[in-house]
Amino acid sequence: MHYSTASTGRRRAFVAFGSNVGDRVAMIEEGLRALECRNIKLVRTSSLWETEAMYVVNQGRFLNGVCEVETSLGPFDLLDQLKEIESSMGRRKTIEKGPRNIDLDILLYGDEVVNTERLAIPHPLMLEREFVLRPLCELIPHGNLPSDPSTNFQGRLRALPAAKSPMSAITPLSHARSPTFLLVHKQATKLMAILNLTPDSFSDGGLHDPQDLERLVTTASKFTEVGASIVDLGGQSTRPNAEDIGETEELNRVIPAIRAVRCASATKEACISVDTYRARVAEEAIKAGADMINDVSGGVMDPDMIPTVARLGCTICIMHMRGTPGTMAKLNKYPDGLIPTVGKELLSRARAAEEAGIRRWRIILDPGIGFAKHQAQNLEILRRLPELQATKGLETFPWLLGTSRKGFIGLITNTREPRDRTWGTAAAVTAAVAGGADIVRVHDVPEMSQVVKMADAIWKV
């Protein structure tokens, strides 16, 4: 495999990064921003992997990853820049391979082989480190050593002895507040509580008055008390044929609510998500105290959404949908198969997000139950969720599923009123947990909290 980009005068390199001191995610993201400020183009990143310390084991767990960069710098000049970044961020080496707030190492630089006391490329220890090989293989799954083309990275990864504590990819839900969640089989499923501030949502329209902030805070507090990790605030209905209320009205509904929930003592540690497809609403929401964006259009309905989220540095949930809420019902034909097509289209959106600068570990995926899908297709997604998760390129993303009170449940259970669909929702939520969902989005928080606990006890925890 060739790693050169000589035709553009720039070289392709792979840089490993890690941290196990302080706010590890913040340290890594600060380090990568510093790279970009030095005319080093960050092409893409791996997932962010949590691992036990290696070599010096009496220290905190590490977050590790690999990024692909393009640079006109030579290998020694690139090394100088990496060391300057480490120094500017306060790294002081006291113990060899000991604790560090930021660590940046060149793994590969084009097809070059360098062997000096100061710098060795390929990195001499990379083949014995799962925390290097696993993220590197996400970026170049068929890669091999320039110095020895017979040494395949995937093969070396498979040959490593099994670790006592398996590595897990993580996705931060907020910058500074808990929780982050791990993509491991035994991790408890997160509950996202729906708090719509709309008069016309299909299920709870008009139930939560955006002007009654005290009541909104009380409701959000009750949600977190019974098990919700995330409160999802929405000011624009996305039910089929919902009226577009416009940016100003959406802002008027959600921004005061975000501030109120963020400041309340009972909910100050909760992750606040904002359900919006408008970039300006997303930006103002994050400024007001929200932690993540939940975009039903996956960044399609507002072309400024993806670059805005990249600039904000927050987590985004990218949902699969076609068209708009007014047209999606007619766009449910999948001649090449539902699961392969949804996987392919989500992969396209995830890649667009990464290309815009959203870190891979800041992306959550949602297959879009009820959006451009009819009843049989919704059931197929629930039935075949593991296959969708295994789509090539999507294996390490977390998944959110929202089945709560939706129309297909009403049709199957013959319950016309959405609020009467609790039992059907419980069955669908159980199927989502069994299929491997990391987050479930629900209206009936106390009831679904119990459902998720039981389903986790059977299939996960």
Side-chain angles (χ1 to χ4, degrees):
M1 173 169 287
H2 296 286
Y3 304 106
S4 174
T5 55
S7 61
T8 64
R10 298 173 69 86
R11 302 298 296 274
R12 183 187 185 199
F14 292 87
V15 175
F17 50 82
S19 173
N20 77 331
V21 174
D23 186 335
R24 300 170 300 168
V25 175
M27 288 291 104
I28 287 169
E29 292 181 337
E30 181 183 342
L32 296 185
R33 286 193 297 271
L35 271 178
E36 294 179 301
C37 290
R38 294 168 183 252
N39 197 30
I40 300 168
K41 181 181 179 182
L42 192 61
V43 179
R44 55 189 177 141
T45 62
S46 68
S47 301
L48 203 53
W49 295 87
E50 185 171 66
T51 65
E52 296 283 0
M54 192 175 181
Y55 308 116
V56 179
V57 296
N58 188 25
Q59 57 179 315
R61 293 172 69 86
F62 275 85
L63 291 182
N64 291 291
V66 173
C67 61
E68 177 186 347
V69 303
E70 286 183 3
T71 180
S72 57
L73 298 171
F76 288 94
D77 290 333
L78 177 58
L79 176 65
D80 289 340
Q81 293 297 314
L82 299 184
K83 295 310 169 188
E84 284 184 20
I85 292 170
E86 291 179 346
S87 178
S88 69
M89 291 179 62
R91 180 179 174 184
R92 300 292 182 268
K93 185 180 286 190
T94 56
I95 302 173
E96 183 68 25
K97 298 182 176 61
R100 66 212 80 169
N101 64 324
I102 188 67
D103 191 21
L104 300 167
D105 288 313
I106 303 172
L107 300 177
L108 301 167
Y109 182 90
D111 292 322
E112 291 195 23
V113 176
V114 177
N115 191 9
T116 70
E117 185 176 344
R118 182 163 178 252
L119 176 64
I121 302 175
H123 193 288
L125 299 179
M126 61 184 288
L127 296 181
E128 67 184 49
R129 296 174 170 179
E130 183 185 6
F131 64 81
V132 171
L133 287 178
R134 192 166 296 282
L136 182 62
C137 286
E138 287 185 276
L139 301 180
I140 45 173
H142 305 294
N144 46 49
L145 283 178
S147 55
D148 180 8
S150 66
T151 302
N152 176 267
F153 297 143
Q154 283 279 15
R156 292 302 292 260
L157 177 61
R158 287 191 294 267
L160 289 176
K164 290 182 180 179
S165 178
M167 290 176 59
S168 60
I170 78 157
T171 296
L173 298 180
S174 65
H175 278 294
R177 302 174 186 90
S178 61
T180 60
F181 69 86
L182 307 175
L183 295 179
V184 293
H185 179 68
K186 292 185 179 296
Q187 177 69 18
T189 306
K190 292 287 185 289
L191 210 63
M192 174 184 275
I194 300 168
L195 187 51
N196 285 323
L197 311 173
T198 54
D200 58 339
S201 288
F202 82 95
S203 176
D204 57 352
L207 183 61
H208 308 297
D209 183 354
Q211 304 303 317
D212 191 346
L213 297 179
E214 184 176 350
R215 186 177 178 186
L216 285 175
V217 169
T218 299
T219 301
S221 299
K222 289 179 179 178
F223 286 165
T224 58
E225 285 172 7
V226 297
S229 300
I230 311 164
V231 178
D232 193 38
L233 298 168
Q236 167 68 62
S237 175
T238 53
R239 65 173 174 78
N241 301 308
E243 175 191 0
D244 187 339
I245 61 170
E247 181 181 278
T248 301
E249 178 60 23
E250 187 178 357
L251 285 167
N252 289 338
R253 291 177 182 179
V254 300
I255 300 304
I258 293 167
R259 290 176 178 147
V261 173
R262 181 81 293 151
C263 292
S265 59
T267 51
K268 64 181 180 181
E269 296 299 324
C271 174
I272 298 176
S273 169
V274 175
D275 182 0
T276 185
Y277 51 76
R278 289 187 172 94
R280 181 160 177 253
V281 174
E283 179 153 15
E284 295 303 319
I286 297 298
K287 289 179 180 177
D291 299 295
M292 62 175 282
I293 302 302
N294 182 16
D295 183 353
V296 298
S297 80
V300 172
M301 291 181 66
D302 185 342
D304 291 332
M305 176 62 89
I306 295 300
T308 296
V309 169
R311 177 166 47 81
L312 294 169
C314 62
T315 296
I316 183 171
C317 181
I318 294 175
M319 196 187 81
H320 178 269
M321 184 176 77
R322 290 172 165 182
T324 68
T327 63
M328 62 183 180
K330 299 177 182 177
L331 301 175
N332 57 9
K333 302 294 189 293
Y334 299 87
D336 294 327
L338 177 68
I339 299 302
T341 305
V342 170
K344 179 181 178 181
E345 292 177 4
L346 274 175
L347 179 60
S348 174
R349 296 310 304 151
R351 283 178 172 168
E354 290 186 84
E355 288 169 5
I358 298 176
R359 306 301 179 220
R360 187 178 180 89
W361 54 83
R362 289 282 181 186
I363 299 172
I364 299 169
L365 300 179
D366 180 343
I369 297 287
F371 288 79
K373 298 164 193 78
H374 55 60
Q375 175 180 313
Q377 292 166 336
N378 293 325
L379 295 173
E380 184 176 354
I381 287 174
L382 285 170
R383 196 178 297 121
R384 300 177 63 191
L385 181 59
E387 293 177 54
L388 182 58
Q389 293 170 312
T391 300
K392 188 174 178 60
L394 301 183
E395 301 94 337
T396 55
F397 287 107
W399 289 79
L400 181 152
L401 258 74
T403 59
S404 186
R405 298 183 179 179
K406 288 188 173 176
F408 79 104
I409 294 174
L411 289 172
I412 293 169
T413 60
N414 195 29
T415 48
R416 182 172 180 176
E417 291 297 326
R419 64 176 176 271
D420 295 330
R421 297 171 186 166
T422 306
W423 292 108
T425 295
V429 166
T430 300
V433 172
D438 300 283
I439 308 171
V440 289
R441 183 175 181 270
V442 300
H443 297 87
D444 304 295
V445 182
E447 295 86 349
M448 295 310 122
S449 178
Q450 293 187 34
V451 169
V452 165
K453 287 178 182 177
M454 194 65 211
D456 278 347
I458 298 169
W459 283 289
K460 288 188 177 182
V461 177

